[in-house]
Amino acid sequence: MAPEIAKLGHVALVSTDLEKSLVFFKEIIGLEETTEIDGVHYLRAYSDFQHHTLSIEAGENAHVKHIGWRTKTADCVLGFKELLDEQGIAVQEYPKGTTPGIGDSIRFQLPSGHTFELYNEVEKSKAASDKASILKNQVYKSWNKGISPRRFDHVNIHTTTDVDESYEFLMEVLGFNMREYVRGDDGILAGWMSVTPLVHDVAMIKKETLPTPARLHHISYWLDDTQDILRAADILKENNLPFIGPGKHGVSQAIYLYVMDPGSGCRVELFSGGYLIFEPDWEPVEWTLEERALSNTYWGDSVQDKELNNITIEAR
């Protein structure tokens, strides 16, 4: 049986101003800190069950070390290693505990140059008693501080490499499903793919020029409804942080708001609404190049027309 990825796990972020990043992610976004070990801070949203969904550490250059994905079983990690070996992909193995809260894992590069980590075993750390929810099916108190998103949702990555090769790798080797895409004169320019019922766990966008071939455009955290997005806009405005949105995407039909971490330059999308896919015979939705503006922005503040300093984070 083919190995399977269960869900998006975490992003390992390096910031050039750790203090600013921690204030942004902990106090303004409202993530909770599971622990800090050797200068690396491990954070998660109030209803993220695994040890962390974001780690942040200091570095000379802002970049993403890797993007982590949890597999369905421990055997799937071994299964993926065998598949990657067959593809001639270099695989690095890491023992349990190399990343706190994560079991045995493997890391490798996509054809795009992005580094993925696969693992199954996770530590489901409990919250400290003064922060714990009284709900047995939730980790932390909701709305405890800041914007307070419920959970980690997706990542958006960009590349200047042969994007078709990466789409094929994601689908044929890693088992992602193409849900929606934008087609140009020379093929697919943007693809939204998932291993869950979400419209996308990862989006990959082709760019003609970038400072490096593999970039992270944004990470995304989920809010329950549109009112939460409007509340987030108030909080960002009160903290003098520029943002894009609110608006609604054509792709995914989700309500969005984008803000940038002033410490690392990492974009964060606050995300709500949209739809889920349960059909086993789902046919990917095609958008043409002429419809690209609509696919990006159904209504509201345009993501295309108003970029936040046009910064993308190197993904190594």
Side-chain angles (χ1 to χ4, degrees), residues 5 80 83-85 87-91 108-112 114 116 118 162-176 193 204:
I5 295 174
F80 276 118
L83 281 179
L84 293 165
D85 286 341
Q87 295 284 324
I89 305 295
V91 177
F108 56 94
Q109 283 195 346
L110 274 63
S112 62
H114 296 86
F116 276 11
L118 301 181
D162 182 349
V163 74
D164 289 335
E165 186 179 0
S166 289
Y167 290 146
E168 182 179 358
F169 182 86
L170 284 163
M171 291 187 288
E172 300 301 323
V173 179
L174 299 184
F176 284 81
M193 292 162 284
M204 178 172 283

PDB file of all heavy atoms in Angstrom, residues 5 80 83-85 87-91 108-112 114 116 118 162-176 193 204:
ATOM      1  N   ILE A   5       0.642  10.978   3.299  1.00  0.00           N
ATOM      2  CA  ILE A   5       0.785  12.113   4.201  1.00  0.00           C
ATOM      3  C   ILE A   5      -0.584  12.435   4.785  1.00  0.00           C
ATOM      4  O   ILE A   5      -1.586  12.469   4.054  1.00  0.00           O
ATOM      5  CB  ILE A   5       1.349  13.339   3.459  1.00  0.00           C
ATOM      6  CG1 ILE A   5       2.776  13.043   2.980  1.00  0.00           C
ATOM      7  CG2 ILE A   5       1.329  14.579   4.344  1.00  0.00           C
ATOM      8  CD1 ILE A   5       3.363  14.145   2.104  1.00  0.00           C
ATOM      9  N   PHE A  80       8.000   6.241   2.297  1.00  0.00           N
ATOM     10  CA  PHE A  80       8.399   7.400   1.498  1.00  0.00           C
ATOM     11  C   PHE A  80       9.907   7.406   1.256  1.00  0.00           C
ATOM     12  O   PHE A  80      10.365   7.801   0.179  1.00  0.00           O
ATOM     13  CB  PHE A  80       7.968   8.700   2.171  1.00  0.00           C
ATOM     14  CG  PHE A  80       6.550   9.093   1.874  1.00  0.00           C
ATOM     15  CD1 PHE A  80       5.603   9.185   2.885  1.00  0.00           C
ATOM     16  CD2 PHE A  80       6.164   9.371   0.577  1.00  0.00           C
ATOM     17  CE1 PHE A  80       4.292   9.548   2.611  1.00  0.00           C
ATOM     18  CE2 PHE A  80       4.846   9.743   0.279  1.00  0.00           C
ATOM     19  CZ  PHE A  80       3.908   9.828   1.313  1.00  0.00           C
ATOM     20  N   LEU A  83      10.480   5.188  -1.662  1.00  0.00           N
ATOM     21  CA  LEU A  83      10.050   5.835  -2.903  1.00  0.00           C
ATOM     22  C   LEU A  83      11.048   6.897  -3.357  1.00  0.00           C
ATOM     23  O   LEU A  83      11.384   6.995  -4.540  1.00  0.00           O
ATOM     24  CB  LEU A  83       8.674   6.480  -2.715  1.00  0.00           C
ATOM     25  CG  LEU A  83       7.442   5.583  -2.757  1.00  0.00           C
ATOM     26  CD1 LEU A  83       6.191   6.418  -2.521  1.00  0.00           C
ATOM     27  CD2 LEU A  83       7.334   4.859  -4.098  1.00  0.00           C
ATOM     28  N   LEU A  84      11.529   7.676  -2.400  1.00  0.00           N
ATOM     29  CA  LEU A  84      12.479   8.739  -2.729  1.00  0.00           C
ATOM     30  C   LEU A  84      13.809   8.158  -3.191  1.00  0.00           C
ATOM     31  O   LEU A  84      14.441   8.682  -4.118  1.00  0.00           O
ATOM     32  CB  LEU A  84      12.667   9.651  -1.519  1.00  0.00           C
ATOM     33  CG  LEU A  84      11.424  10.467  -1.130  1.00  0.00           C
ATOM     34  CD1 LEU A  84      11.576  11.042   0.269  1.00  0.00           C
ATOM     35  CD2 LEU A  84      11.164  11.577  -2.142  1.00  0.00           C
ATOM     36  N   ASP A  85      14.230   7.073  -2.541  1.00  0.00           N
ATOM     37  CA  ASP A  85      15.460   6.394  -2.971  1.00  0.00           C
ATOM     38  C   ASP A  85      15.321   5.913  -4.407  1.00  0.00           C
ATOM     39  O   ASP A  85      16.255   6.038  -5.219  1.00  0.00           O
ATOM     40  CB  ASP A  85      15.759   5.210  -2.045  1.00  0.00           C
ATOM     41  CG  ASP A  85      16.295   5.637  -0.679  1.00  0.00           C
ATOM     42  OD1 ASP A  85      16.770   6.790  -0.572  1.00  0.00           O
ATOM     43  OD2 ASP A  85      16.230   4.836   0.265  1.00  0.00           O
ATOM     44  N   GLN A  87      13.552   7.227  -6.673  1.00  0.00           N
ATOM     45  CA  GLN A  87      13.562   8.403  -7.547  1.00  0.00           C
ATOM     46  C   GLN A  87      14.947   9.040  -7.626  1.00  0.00           C
ATOM     47  O   GLN A  87      15.154   9.996  -8.379  1.00  0.00           O
ATOM     48  CB  GLN A  87      12.568   9.444  -7.023  1.00  0.00           C
ATOM     49  CG  GLN A  87      11.110   9.006  -7.066  1.00  0.00           C
ATOM     50  CD  GLN A  87      10.534   9.053  -8.455  1.00  0.00           C
ATOM     51  OE1 GLN A  87      10.862   9.940  -9.245  1.00  0.00           O
ATOM     52  NE2 GLN A  87       9.685   8.101  -8.789  1.00  0.00           N
ATOM     53  N   GLY A  88      15.887   8.527  -6.859  1.00  0.00           N
ATOM     54  CA  GLY A  88      17.225   9.099  -6.836  1.00  0.00           C
ATOM     55  C   GLY A  88      17.312  10.407  -6.069  1.00  0.00           C
ATOM     56  O   GLY A  88      18.227  11.205  -6.278  1.00  0.00           O
ATOM     57  N   ILE A  89      16.348  10.631  -5.153  1.00  0.00           N
ATOM     58  CA  ILE A  89      16.318  11.847  -4.340  1.00  0.00           C
ATOM     59  C   ILE A  89      17.153  11.625  -3.079  1.00  0.00           C
ATOM     60  O   ILE A  89      16.962  10.636  -2.373  1.00  0.00           O
ATOM     61  CB  ILE A  89      14.875  12.217  -3.944  1.00  0.00           C
ATOM     62  CG1 ILE A  89      13.986  12.350  -5.186  1.00  0.00           C
ATOM     63  CG2 ILE A  89      14.852  13.488  -3.106  1.00  0.00           C
ATOM     64  CD1 ILE A  89      14.359  13.469  -6.104  1.00  0.00           C
ATOM     65  N   ALA A  90      18.059  12.523  -2.797  1.00  0.00           N
ATOM     66  CA  ALA A  90      18.868  12.428  -1.580  1.00  0.00           C
ATOM     67  C   ALA A  90      17.986  12.618  -0.348  1.00  0.00           C
ATOM     68  O   ALA A  90      17.220  13.581  -0.263  1.00  0.00           O
ATOM     69  CB  ALA A  90      19.972  13.476  -1.597  1.00  0.00           C
ATOM     70  N   VAL A  91      18.088  11.692   0.586  1.00  0.00           N
ATOM     71  CA  VAL A  91      17.269  11.707   1.796  1.00  0.00           C
ATOM     72  C   VAL A  91      18.170  11.729   3.020  1.00  0.00           C
ATOM     73  O   VAL A  91      19.104  10.931   3.125  1.00  0.00           O
ATOM     74  CB  VAL A  91      16.338  10.477   1.867  1.00  0.00           C
ATOM     75  CG1 VAL A  91      15.541  10.477   3.170  1.00  0.00           C
ATOM     76  CG2 VAL A  91      15.400  10.444   0.672  1.00  0.00           C
ATOM     77  N   PHE A 108      14.213  16.007   2.620  1.00  0.00           N
ATOM     78  CA  PHE A 108      14.624  15.925   1.225  1.00  0.00           C
ATOM     79  C   PHE A 108      14.169  17.192   0.513  1.00  0.00           C
ATOM     80  O   PHE A 108      13.351  17.956   1.040  1.00  0.00           O
ATOM     81  CB  PHE A 108      14.003  14.702   0.547  1.00  0.00           C
ATOM     82  CG  PHE A 108      12.495  14.671   0.650  1.00  0.00           C
ATOM     83  CD1 PHE A 108      11.703  15.200  -0.362  1.00  0.00           C
ATOM     84  CD2 PHE A 108      11.871  14.132   1.771  1.00  0.00           C
ATOM     85  CE1 PHE A 108      10.321  15.204  -0.262  1.00  0.00           C
ATOM     86  CE2 PHE A 108      10.485  14.134   1.887  1.00  0.00           C
ATOM     87  CZ  PHE A 108       9.713  14.657   0.869  1.00  0.00           C
ATOM     88  N   GLN A 109      14.691  17.403  -0.678  1.00  0.00           N
ATOM     89  CA  GLN A 109      14.301  18.568  -1.459  1.00  0.00           C
ATOM     90  C   GLN A 109      13.367  18.194  -2.595  1.00  0.00           C
ATOM     91  O   GLN A 109      13.570  17.182  -3.273  1.00  0.00           O
ATOM     92  CB  GLN A 109      15.535  19.273  -2.033  1.00  0.00           C
ATOM     93  CG  GLN A 109      16.287  20.121  -1.018  1.00  0.00           C
ATOM     94  CD  GLN A 109      17.265  21.075  -1.688  1.00  0.00           C
ATOM     95  OE1 GLN A 109      17.580  20.947  -2.870  1.00  0.00           O
ATOM     96  NE2 GLN A 109      17.748  22.047  -0.934  1.00  0.00           N
ATOM     97  N   LEU A 110      12.349  19.028  -2.789  1.00  0.00           N
ATOM     98  CA  LEU A 110      11.509  18.930  -3.975  1.00  0.00           C
ATOM     99  C   LEU A 110      12.317  19.378  -5.190  1.00  0.00           C
ATOM    100  O   LEU A 110      13.348  20.037  -5.030  1.00  0.00           O
ATOM    101  CB  LEU A 110      10.285  19.824  -3.830  1.00  0.00           C
ATOM    102  CG  LEU A 110       9.048  19.269  -3.123  1.00  0.00           C
ATOM    103  CD1 LEU A 110       9.360  18.936  -1.671  1.00  0.00           C
ATOM    104  CD2 LEU A 110       7.896  20.270  -3.197  1.00  0.00           C
ATOM    105  N   PRO A 111      11.870  19.052  -6.390  1.00  0.00           N
ATOM    106  CA  PRO A 111      12.552  19.585  -7.575  1.00  0.00           C
ATOM    107  C   PRO A 111      12.637  21.113  -7.561  1.00  0.00           C
ATOM    108  O   PRO A 111      13.552  21.694  -8.142  1.00  0.00           O
ATOM    109  CB  PRO A 111      11.675  19.094  -8.734  1.00  0.00           C
ATOM    110  CG  PRO A 111      11.053  17.842  -8.219  1.00  0.00           C
ATOM    111  CD  PRO A 111      10.814  18.098  -6.757  1.00  0.00           C
ATOM    112  N   SER A 112      11.714  21.757  -6.865  1.00  0.00           N
ATOM    113  CA  SER A 112      11.707  23.218  -6.757  1.00  0.00           C
ATOM    114  C   SER A 112      12.807  23.738  -5.853  1.00  0.00           C
ATOM    115  O   SER A 112      13.115  24.933  -5.865  1.00  0.00           O
ATOM    116  CB  SER A 112      10.355  23.694  -6.217  1.00  0.00           C
ATOM    117  OG  SER A 112      10.146  23.170  -4.910  1.00  0.00           O
ATOM    118  N   HIS A 114      12.607  23.356  -2.425  1.00  0.00           N
ATOM    119  CA  HIS A 114      12.067  23.457  -1.074  1.00  0.00           C
ATOM    120  C   HIS A 114      12.358  22.179  -0.288  1.00  0.00           C
ATOM    121  O   HIS A 114      12.274  21.076  -0.840  1.00  0.00           O
ATOM    122  CB  HIS A 114      10.559  23.682  -1.116  1.00  0.00           C
ATOM    123  CG  HIS A 114      10.158  24.971  -1.754  1.00  0.00           C
ATOM    124  ND1 HIS A 114       9.979  25.099  -3.121  1.00  0.00           N
ATOM    125  CD2 HIS A 114       9.914  26.197  -1.222  1.00  0.00           C
ATOM    126  CE1 HIS A 114       9.623  26.342  -3.394  1.00  0.00           C
ATOM    127  NE2 HIS A 114       9.590  27.035  -2.269  1.00  0.00           N
ATOM    128  N   PHE A 116      11.344  19.514   2.458  1.00  0.00           N
ATOM    129  CA  PHE A 116      10.231  18.938   3.207  1.00  0.00           C
ATOM    130  C   PHE A 116      10.780  17.963   4.250  1.00  0.00           C
ATOM    131  O   PHE A 116      11.801  17.303   4.023  1.00  0.00           O
ATOM    132  CB  PHE A 116       9.278  18.179   2.283  1.00  0.00           C
ATOM    133  CG  PHE A 116       8.239  19.043   1.604  1.00  0.00           C
ATOM    134  CD1 PHE A 116       8.308  20.431   1.633  1.00  0.00           C
ATOM    135  CD2 PHE A 116       7.181  18.448   0.931  1.00  0.00           C
ATOM    136  CE1 PHE A 116       7.360  21.215   1.001  1.00  0.00           C
ATOM    137  CE2 PHE A 116       6.221  19.217   0.293  1.00  0.00           C
ATOM    138  CZ  PHE A 116       6.299  20.604   0.329  1.00  0.00           C
ATOM    139  N   LEU A 118       9.308  14.722   6.663  1.00  0.00           N
ATOM    140  CA  LEU A 118       8.213  13.790   6.907  1.00  0.00           C
ATOM    141  C   LEU A 118       8.454  13.044   8.214  1.00  0.00           C
ATOM    142  O   LEU A 118       9.570  12.602   8.486  1.00  0.00           O
ATOM    143  CB  LEU A 118       8.080  12.782   5.761  1.00  0.00           C
ATOM    144  CG  LEU A 118       7.832  13.331   4.356  1.00  0.00           C
ATOM    145  CD1 LEU A 118       7.701  12.172   3.370  1.00  0.00           C
ATOM    146  CD2 LEU A 118       6.591  14.210   4.312  1.00  0.00           C
ATOM    147  N   ASP A 162      11.346  24.419 -13.014  1.00  0.00           N
ATOM    148  CA  ASP A 162      10.314  23.771 -13.831  1.00  0.00           C
ATOM    149  C   ASP A 162       9.164  23.345 -12.918  1.00  0.00           C
ATOM    150  O   ASP A 162       9.231  22.326 -12.242  1.00  0.00           O
ATOM    151  CB  ASP A 162      10.911  22.556 -14.545  1.00  0.00           C
ATOM    152  CG  ASP A 162       9.903  21.870 -15.458  1.00  0.00           C
ATOM    153  OD1 ASP A 162       8.704  22.194 -15.396  1.00  0.00           O
ATOM    154  OD2 ASP A 162      10.324  20.997 -16.224  1.00  0.00           O
ATOM    155  N   VAL A 163       8.105  24.147 -12.896  1.00  0.00           N
ATOM    156  CA  VAL A 163       7.029  23.904 -11.947  1.00  0.00           C
ATOM    157  C   VAL A 163       6.272  22.616 -12.255  1.00  0.00           C
ATOM    158  O   VAL A 163       5.761  21.945 -11.353  1.00  0.00           O
ATOM    159  CB  VAL A 163       6.082  25.130 -11.888  1.00  0.00           C
ATOM    160  CG1 VAL A 163       5.211  25.204 -13.117  1.00  0.00           C
ATOM    161  CG2 VAL A 163       5.248  25.114 -10.622  1.00  0.00           C
ATOM    162  N   ASP A 164       6.207  22.232 -13.524  1.00  0.00           N
ATOM    163  CA  ASP A 164       5.522  20.982 -13.875  1.00  0.00           C
ATOM    164  C   ASP A 164       6.180  19.780 -13.205  1.00  0.00           C
ATOM    165  O   ASP A 164       5.506  18.840 -12.779  1.00  0.00           O
ATOM    166  CB  ASP A 164       5.506  20.782 -15.384  1.00  0.00           C
ATOM    167  CG  ASP A 164       4.571  21.746 -16.089  1.00  0.00           C
ATOM    168  OD1 ASP A 164       3.614  22.220 -15.440  1.00  0.00           O
ATOM    169  OD2 ASP A 164       4.798  22.042 -17.275  1.00  0.00           O
ATOM    170  N   GLU A 165       7.501  19.814 -13.124  1.00  0.00           N
ATOM    171  CA  GLU A 165       8.230  18.726 -12.469  1.00  0.00           C
ATOM    172  C   GLU A 165       7.861  18.640 -10.992  1.00  0.00           C
ATOM    173  O   GLU A 165       7.691  17.550 -10.440  1.00  0.00           O
ATOM    174  CB  GLU A 165       9.736  18.938 -12.636  1.00  0.00           C
ATOM    175  CG  GLU A 165      10.584  17.786 -12.125  1.00  0.00           C
ATOM    176  CD  GLU A 165      12.067  18.020 -12.328  1.00  0.00           C
ATOM    177  OE1 GLU A 165      12.446  19.077 -12.872  1.00  0.00           O
ATOM    178  OE2 GLU A 165      12.854  17.131 -11.946  1.00  0.00           O
ATOM    179  N   SER A 166       7.705  19.796 -10.352  1.00  0.00           N
ATOM    180  CA  SER A 166       7.342  19.809  -8.934  1.00  0.00           C
ATOM    181  C   SER A 166       5.895  19.374  -8.724  1.00  0.00           C
ATOM    182  O   SER A 166       5.595  18.644  -7.777  1.00  0.00           O
ATOM    183  CB  SER A 166       7.559  21.204  -8.341  1.00  0.00           C
ATOM    184  OG  SER A 166       8.935  21.483  -8.233  1.00  0.00           O
ATOM    185  N   TYR A 167       4.969  19.806  -9.601  1.00  0.00           N
ATOM    186  CA  TYR A 167       3.583  19.356  -9.494  1.00  0.00           C
ATOM    187  C   TYR A 167       3.508  17.839  -9.619  1.00  0.00           C
ATOM    188  O   TYR A 167       2.819  17.159  -8.842  1.00  0.00           O
ATOM    189  CB  TYR A 167       2.720  19.993 -10.594  1.00  0.00           C
ATOM    190  CG  TYR A 167       2.484  21.478 -10.441  1.00  0.00           C
ATOM    191  CD1 TYR A 167       2.389  22.293 -11.563  1.00  0.00           C
ATOM    192  CD2 TYR A 167       2.341  22.070  -9.189  1.00  0.00           C
ATOM    193  CE1 TYR A 167       2.168  23.653 -11.452  1.00  0.00           C
ATOM    194  CE2 TYR A 167       2.123  23.435  -9.066  1.00  0.00           C
ATOM    195  CZ  TYR A 167       2.041  24.228 -10.199  1.00  0.00           C
ATOM    196  OH  TYR A 167       1.821  25.576 -10.086  1.00  0.00           O
ATOM    197  N   GLU A 168       4.224  17.300 -10.591  1.00  0.00           N
ATOM    198  CA  GLU A 168       4.217  15.849 -10.794  1.00  0.00           C
ATOM    199  C   GLU A 168       4.791  15.131  -9.583  1.00  0.00           C
ATOM    200  O   GLU A 168       4.263  14.102  -9.141  1.00  0.00           O
ATOM    201  CB  GLU A 168       5.015  15.493 -12.048  1.00  0.00           C
ATOM    202  CG  GLU A 168       5.016  14.007 -12.359  1.00  0.00           C
ATOM    203  CD  GLU A 168       5.788  13.660 -13.625  1.00  0.00           C
ATOM    204  OE1 GLU A 168       6.302  14.582 -14.285  1.00  0.00           O
ATOM    205  OE2 GLU A 168       5.866  12.454 -13.956  1.00  0.00           O
ATOM    206  N   PHE A 169       5.876  15.674  -9.025  1.00  0.00           N
ATOM    207  CA  PHE A 169       6.495  15.069  -7.845  1.00  0.00           C
ATOM    208  C   PHE A 169       5.532  15.085  -6.656  1.00  0.00           C
ATOM    209  O   PHE A 169       5.367  14.078  -5.956  1.00  0.00           O
ATOM    210  CB  PHE A 169       7.770  15.834  -7.495  1.00  0.00           C
ATOM    211  CG  PHE A 169       8.528  15.268  -6.325  1.00  0.00           C
ATOM    212  CD1 PHE A 169       9.452  14.250  -6.503  1.00  0.00           C
ATOM    213  CD2 PHE A 169       8.325  15.761  -5.048  1.00  0.00           C
ATOM    214  CE1 PHE A 169      10.148  13.721  -5.427  1.00  0.00           C
ATOM    215  CE2 PHE A 169       9.011  15.245  -3.967  1.00  0.00           C
ATOM    216  CZ  PHE A 169       9.927  14.223  -4.152  1.00  0.00           C
ATOM    217  N   LEU A 170       4.882  16.213  -6.437  1.00  0.00           N
ATOM    218  CA  LEU A 170       3.954  16.324  -5.315  1.00  0.00           C
ATOM    219  C   LEU A 170       2.792  15.344  -5.459  1.00  0.00           C
ATOM    220  O   LEU A 170       2.358  14.729  -4.478  1.00  0.00           O
ATOM    221  CB  LEU A 170       3.421  17.755  -5.209  1.00  0.00           C
ATOM    222  CG  LEU A 170       4.384  18.784  -4.613  1.00  0.00           C
ATOM    223  CD1 LEU A 170       3.931  20.202  -4.933  1.00  0.00           C
ATOM    224  CD2 LEU A 170       4.510  18.601  -3.103  1.00  0.00           C
ATOM    225  N   MET A 171       2.312  15.171  -6.680  1.00  0.00           N
ATOM    226  CA  MET A 171       1.158  14.298  -6.880  1.00  0.00           C
ATOM    227  C   MET A 171       1.542  12.826  -6.983  1.00  0.00           C
ATOM    228  O   MET A 171       0.950  11.970  -6.315  1.00  0.00           O
ATOM    229  CB  MET A 171       0.387  14.745  -8.124  1.00  0.00           C
ATOM    230  CG  MET A 171      -0.310  16.095  -7.950  1.00  0.00           C
ATOM    231  SD  MET A 171      -1.385  16.567  -9.334  1.00  0.00           S
ATOM    232  CE  MET A 171      -0.167  16.945 -10.593  1.00  0.00           C
ATOM    233  N   GLU A 172       2.549  12.520  -7.820  1.00  0.00           N
ATOM    234  CA  GLU A 172       2.873  11.121  -8.093  1.00  0.00           C
ATOM    235  C   GLU A 172       3.703  10.463  -6.994  1.00  0.00           C
ATOM    236  O   GLU A 172       3.572   9.264  -6.744  1.00  0.00           O
ATOM    237  CB  GLU A 172       3.616  11.017  -9.431  1.00  0.00           C
ATOM    238  CG  GLU A 172       2.831  11.520 -10.627  1.00  0.00           C
ATOM    239  CD  GLU A 172       1.519  10.780 -10.810  1.00  0.00           C
ATOM    240  OE1 GLU A 172       1.480   9.555 -10.560  1.00  0.00           O
ATOM    241  OE2 GLU A 172       0.520  11.437 -11.189  1.00  0.00           O
ATOM    242  N   VAL A 173       4.573  11.217  -6.340  1.00  0.00           N
ATOM    243  CA  VAL A 173       5.441  10.640  -5.302  1.00  0.00           C
ATOM    244  C   VAL A 173       4.864  10.862  -3.910  1.00  0.00           C
ATOM    245  O   VAL A 173       4.803   9.938  -3.092  1.00  0.00           O
ATOM    246  CB  VAL A 173       6.873  11.225  -5.385  1.00  0.00           C
ATOM    247  CG1 VAL A 173       7.752  10.622  -4.288  1.00  0.00           C
ATOM    248  CG2 VAL A 173       7.470  10.957  -6.767  1.00  0.00           C
ATOM    249  N   LEU A 174       4.403  12.079  -3.620  1.00  0.00           N
ATOM    250  CA  LEU A 174       3.947  12.400  -2.270  1.00  0.00           C
ATOM    251  C   LEU A 174       2.439  12.258  -2.077  1.00  0.00           C
ATOM    252  O   LEU A 174       1.951  12.305  -0.948  1.00  0.00           O
ATOM    253  CB  LEU A 174       4.390  13.816  -1.893  1.00  0.00           C
ATOM    254  CG  LEU A 174       5.906  14.053  -1.866  1.00  0.00           C
ATOM    255  CD1 LEU A 174       6.208  15.458  -1.379  1.00  0.00           C
ATOM    256  CD2 LEU A 174       6.608  13.014  -0.992  1.00  0.00           C
ATOM    257  N   GLY A 175       1.687  12.092  -3.162  1.00  0.00           N
ATOM    258  CA  GLY A 175       0.272  11.775  -3.031  1.00  0.00           C
ATOM    259  C   GLY A 175      -0.666  12.955  -2.881  1.00  0.00           C
ATOM    260  O   GLY A 175      -1.810  12.796  -2.429  1.00  0.00           O
ATOM    261  N   PHE A 176      -0.231  14.152  -3.268  1.00  0.00           N
ATOM    262  CA  PHE A 176      -1.118  15.311  -3.219  1.00  0.00           C
ATOM    263  C   PHE A 176      -2.127  15.275  -4.359  1.00  0.00           C
ATOM    264  O   PHE A 176      -1.865  14.702  -5.414  1.00  0.00           O
ATOM    265  CB  PHE A 176      -0.307  16.610  -3.296  1.00  0.00           C
ATOM    266  CG  PHE A 176       0.385  16.974  -2.013  1.00  0.00           C
ATOM    267  CD1 PHE A 176       1.590  16.389  -1.664  1.00  0.00           C
ATOM    268  CD2 PHE A 176      -0.180  17.898  -1.144  1.00  0.00           C
ATOM    269  CE1 PHE A 176       2.234  16.715  -0.484  1.00  0.00           C
ATOM    270  CE2 PHE A 176       0.454  18.240   0.034  1.00  0.00           C
ATOM    271  CZ  PHE A 176       1.661  17.646   0.377  1.00  0.00           C
ATOM    272  N   MET A 193      -2.992  22.357  -3.957  1.00  0.00           N
ATOM    273  CA  MET A 193      -2.977  20.902  -3.774  1.00  0.00           C
ATOM    274  C   MET A 193      -3.169  20.533  -2.316  1.00  0.00           C
ATOM    275  O   MET A 193      -2.766  21.274  -1.412  1.00  0.00           O
ATOM    276  CB  MET A 193      -1.650  20.334  -4.281  1.00  0.00           C
ATOM    277  CG  MET A 193      -1.478  20.435  -5.782  1.00  0.00           C
ATOM    278  SD  MET A 193       0.260  20.242  -6.293  1.00  0.00           S
ATOM    279  CE  MET A 193       0.891  21.845  -5.821  1.00  0.00           C
ATOM    280  N   MET A 204       1.615  26.027  -4.896  1.00  0.00           N
ATOM    281  CA  MET A 204       2.905  26.285  -5.530  1.00  0.00           C
ATOM    282  C   MET A 204       2.682  27.172  -6.746  1.00  0.00           C
ATOM    283  O   MET A 204       1.857  26.868  -7.602  1.00  0.00           O
ATOM    284  CB  MET A 204       3.608  24.993  -5.942  1.00  0.00           C
ATOM    285  CG  MET A 204       4.941  25.251  -6.640  1.00  0.00           C
ATOM    286  SD  MET A 204       5.908  23.753  -6.935  1.00  0.00           S
ATOM    287  CE  MET A 204       6.559  23.445  -5.309  1.00  0.00           C
TER     288      MET A 204
END
